[in-house]
Amino acid sequence: QVQLVESGGGLVQAGGSLRLSCAASGRTFSTAAMGWFRQAPGKGREFVATISWSGNTYYADSVKGRFTISRDNPKNTAYLQMNNLKPEDTAVYYCAASPRSYTPTLSSDFDFWGQGTQVTVSS
């Protein structure tokens, strides 16, 4: 099993920045790929960004150019730097881990999930 713990969420004004962290523990060899998803009230879970073990990244069009995903492999931690935040970015953000070696984007490709952290962007 892999345990994922997110942190860094909060309330920010539009145009502001937040940095989310996701610390992995347990069978971390199952964290070849790390991803971030989000779920806004009344909506389904949405892909945000993914990063492979070697650092290849892929982003949803809605966050490209504003969000940056990164990882520190020795620390088993992934990050999501979010800049120029918009009210439509308001959601619960989830970290996920996948044993797959590429950059998965489907939630079904991820085997382990964190509990989520709330991000609220005020206008």
Side-chain angles (χ1 to χ4, degrees):
Q1 288 290 341
V2 174
Q3 294 77 43
L4 302 173
V5 179
E6 302 104 332
S7 60
L11 173 64
V12 64
Q13 289 187 331
S17 298
L18 283 174
R19 188 194 194 204
L20 305 182
S21 298
C22 174
S25 60
R27 298 173 62 185
T28 54
F29 60 84
S30 295
T31 60
M34 300 289 290
W36 289 93
F37 290 75
R38 65 187 182 186
Q39 188 165 15
K43 295 187 176 181
R45 192 165 294 187
E46 174 190 26
F47 166 76
V48 175
T50 185
I51 185 168
S52 69
W53 182 265
S54 60
N56 294 320
T57 59
Y58 190 81
Y59 297 92
D61 287 342
S62 59
V63 306
K64 200 173 295 182
R66 300 188 297 122
F67 291 11
T68 302
I69 188 171
S70 61
R71 64 189 298 166
D72 185 332
N73 290 337
K75 293 184 178 180
N76 294 316
T77 302
Y79 305 94
L80 185 69
Q81 177 67 44
M82 305 184 294
N83 297 328
N84 190 22
L85 283 160
K86 304 176 181 180
E88 51 264 43
D89 293 319
T90 294
V92 176
Y93 283 70
Y94 296 91
C95 173
S98 170
R100 292 159 180 82
S101 59
Y102 53 94
T103 49
T105 62
L106 300 177
S107 57
S108 57
D109 289 331
F110 290 84
D111 296 346
F112 304 100
W113 294 82
Q115 81 288 352
T117 185
Q118 177 70 46
V119 171
T120 303
V121 184
S122 62
S123 57

